[in-house]
Amino acid sequence: MAIESITKTLGSGSGIDISALVTSLVEAQTATKAAQLTAKNETLTAQISATSSLKSAINSFDTALKSLIRGGAVSTQPTSSNTSLLNVSVLSGASAAGLSAQVEVRQLASGQVANSATVADKSAAIGQGTLTLTFGNTTVVDGEMTAFAAGPGTPVDITIDATNSSLQGVADAINAKKAGVTASILTDSTGSRLVLKSATGASQGFTLSAAETAGHEGLSALAVGVGATGTTIGSAAQDAIVAIDGVPVRRAVNSIPDIIPGIRLDLVAASVGTKINIGSKAPTDALQQAVGDIVDTYNELYAQLKTATDPVTGPLRQDSAAKAMLRSLSDLSTRALVSGGVAGSPKSLSEIGVSTNRDGTLTLNSGRLTNALLSYPDSVEAMFKMGAGLSAQLSSIAVSASSTIYGLGASETRYTKAKTALTEQQTKATEAAEVLRTRMTRQFASMDSAVAAYKSTQTFIENQVKAWNSDS
């Protein structure tokens, strides 16, 4: 408040605009350093932005390629001549190249489904005792179990007492055991019934026996097994049966990954006698598109990197990590991506039509790529395997660029710390300028006061002289 009061009266004695004078003097002493700090701040901001953008760009490139490969678009895919009966897919890391077989879906795997008679109120007590669930192989005729051979598993006991003696309570108690049978309540206009369902496979047939508590009988109405009269079996447990080139094979499930190496068979419907041909289709069009997209993405990233490392205007012109990334990208097209293969097969992008221009960008010779795909489809496809080939090379560049020890990640951390320190310097410089302004203001206020006093004395003397002259 004292300084504010002073600045309002400055110049009243001397007639000089001391406030403007102080501002000019402070700026003259601090302008150079302030300009230097501002310029450094702008440089660091540009460096942080450039490193962040380059890290994001290379990681996006890497992620996009991995997603493309993971989706299977650039891999040979298995085909089915009748997808209404059978679907086929390739397992992760496997190849469908050369696949050729004939499949017949003779039987789908199913689980046992049994249901009780209806009751009017699913919340009303049915009975108490112990239900015992036993798994094994069954024979079912017209909804009735006619034979049962228990499996090696231990039977599961389910206690039913006053707390869970209703139909809903029984269903909840069975589900709580998580024994391999799912219980649910199905309700319609006729009432509610207990529905029990097992997993698929012939060994997943089951019986449910009841040991009733005296005086609380009724659980036997839910029994499932040979001679049971209160339940009906709507679906018997059975294995899937498929014939591969005429050889029958059984499995407990309808999604089968272990009959044909590297191939998953998903059974949709059974049709005895119907032969389904499975083969493979090379991703020729997808690979053409993928290589073109890779060239375009590379050129965008390369241009961004060249701008950032421009020897005159680039914010990262002295950044070793950015220069290392540029070198790594520059020879990407000539690196060997695959090994082995038939004699003369391509092993690098440059050998399938991707050439490097004088300015470092890439160009795709579509005709040469087409010839490579026709002559060496397996070798070209091998360049686009997950964790190998181009994916491995690009991932290595991305990891190096993101490193917080030696990559752009480390550069970004360094620039960020420097900017934080610079901000502190700017704050201190601003505070120092204000201290200087305060000191100068006080000094000139004292001077102005002295000048005012002198002027007052001068005025007094002038008035005295005038009085003396008028008296004479």
Side-chain angles (χ1 to χ4, degrees), residues 162-199:
T163 65
N164 59 0
S165 61
S166 66
L167 197 65
Q168 184 64 63
V170 170
D172 293 341
I174 292 173
N175 289 332
K177 285 293 185 178
K178 298 181 180 179
V181 168
T182 301
S184 60
I185 303 296
L186 180 62
T187 301
D188 59 18
S189 60
T190 64
S192 299
R193 57 183 63 81
L194 179 69
V195 179
L196 304 174
K197 184 176 182 179
S198 72

Side-chain angles (χ1 to χ4, degrees), residues 159-295:
T159 300
I160 305 299
D161 55 27
T163 65
N164 59 0
S165 61
S166 66
L167 197 65
Q168 184 64 63
V170 170
D172 293 341
I174 292 173
N175 289 332
K177 285 293 185 178
K178 298 181 180 179
V181 168
T182 301
S184 60
I185 303 296
L186 180 62
T187 301
D188 59 18
S189 60
T190 64
S192 299
R193 57 183 63 81
L194 179 69
V195 179
L196 304 174
K197 184 176 182 179
S198 72
T200 60
S203 65
Q204 295 304 302
F206 63 87
T207 61
L208 186 68
S209 59
E212 299 179 312
T213 300
H216 297 281
E217 292 81 1
L219 286 182
S220 60
L222 304 179
V224 178
V226 178
T229 59
T231 57
T232 301
I233 298 177
S235 173
Q238 62 182 24
D239 288 334
I241 302 176
V242 294
I244 308 297
D245 293 327
V247 180
V249 180
R250 288 178 173 269
R251 289 293 185 271
V253 293
N254 292 313
S255 183
I256 308 172
D258 60 351
I259 294 180
I260 300 176
I263 302 298
R264 181 186 302 279
L265 303 179
D266 289 304
L267 313 185
V268 179
S271 180
V272 177
T274 302
K275 304 298 190 294
I276 306 162
N277 295 315
I278 60 174
S280 61
K281 180 182 180 181
T284 303
D285 293 340
L287 283 171
Q288 285 269 14
Q289 182 67 46
V291 175
D293 290 344
I294 287 168
V295 168

Side-chain angles (χ1 to χ4, degrees), residues 416-428:
T416 301
K417 288 182 178 179
K419 186 175 181 180
T420 299
L422 183 66
T423 300
E424 294 177 355
Q425 291 181 47
Q426 288 178 309
T427 299
K428 291 179 180 179

Side-chain angles (χ1 to χ4, degrees), residues 60-398:
S60 294
F61 193 0
D62 179 41
T63 299
L65 180 59
K66 287 178 179 176
S67 296
L68 178 68
I69 296 172
R70 192 178 294 111
V74 291
S75 299
T76 295
Q77 294 298 311
T79 59
S80 168
S81 64
N82 192 337
T83 55
S84 64
L85 300 179
L86 175 69
N87 287 318
V88 287
S89 58
V90 65
L91 298 176
S92 178
S95 173
L99 175 63
S100 178
Q102 194 174 73
V103 180
E104 177 187 355
V105 183
R106 296 180 179 177
Q107 177 176 289
L108 293 183
S110 62
Q112 179 177 313
V113 180
N115 64 273
S116 70
T118 58
V119 298
D121 184 0
K122 64 181 180 180
S123 300
I126 294 176
Q128 299 178 30
T130 300
L131 295 174
T132 300
L133 187 63
T134 305
F135 289 95
N137 291 81
T138 65
T139 301
V140 176
V141 179
D142 296 329
E144 295 184 8
M145 188 180 299
T146 59
F148 177 73
T154 302
V156 177
D157 290 334
I158 305 160
T159 300
I160 305 299
D161 55 27
T163 65
N164 59 0
S165 61
S166 66
L167 197 65
Q168 184 64 63
V170 170
D172 293 341
I174 292 173
N175 289 332
K177 285 293 185 178
K178 298 181 180 179
V181 168
T182 301
S184 60
I185 303 296
L186 180 62
T187 301
D188 59 18
S189 60
T190 64
S192 299
R193 57 183 63 81
L194 179 69
V195 179
L196 304 174
K197 184 176 182 179
S198 72
T200 60
S203 65
Q204 295 304 302
F206 63 87
T207 61
L208 186 68
S209 59
E212 299 179 312
T213 300
H216 297 281
E217 292 81 1
L219 286 182
S220 60
L222 304 179
V224 178
V226 178
T229 59
T231 57
T232 301
I233 298 177
S235 173
Q238 62 182 24
D239 288 334
I241 302 176
V242 294
I244 308 297
D245 293 327
V247 180
V249 180
R250 288 178 173 269
R251 289 293 185 271
V253 293
N254 292 313
S255 183
I256 308 172
D258 60 351
I259 294 180
I260 300 176
I263 302 298
R264 181 186 302 279
L265 303 179
D266 289 304
L267 313 185
V268 179
S271 180
V272 177
T274 302
K275 304 298 190 294
I276 306 162
N277 295 315
I278 60 174
S280 61
K281 180 182 180 181
T284 303
D285 293 340
L287 283 171
Q288 285 269 14
Q289 182 67 46
V291 175
D293 290 344
I294 287 168
V295 168
D296 292 340
T297 304
Y298 174 96
N299 287 340
E300 292 175 5
L301 174 59
Y302 190 81
Q304 184 178 347
L305 191 52
K306 286 288 287 184
T307 299
T309 56
D310 184 277
V312 177
T313 62
L316 302 181
R317 57 184 176 274
Q318 296 180 335
D319 191 291
S320 59
K323 292 179 180 179
M325 180 178 168
L326 182 63
R327 289 192 298 270
S328 296
L329 280 175
S330 297
D331 65 356
L332 185 61
S333 66
T334 58
R335 293 184 195 176
L337 303 179
V338 294
S339 58
V342 299
S345 62
K347 293 177 173 54
S348 66
L349 291 177
S350 62
E351 294 175 353
I352 62 172
V354 178
S355 58
T356 303
N357 303 315
R358 288 188 176 182
D359 62 358
T361 59
L362 301 180
T363 298
L364 174 61
N365 184 324
S366 298
R368 189 174 179 187
L369 175 58
T370 298
N371 290 335
L373 286 168
L374 291 174
S375 303
Y376 307 101
D378 293 345
S379 295
V380 177
E381 185 178 332
M383 296 182 185
F384 296 88
K385 293 296 183 183
M386 182 63 73
L390 183 59
S391 174
Q393 294 294 332
L394 195 59
S395 181
S396 176
I397 295 174

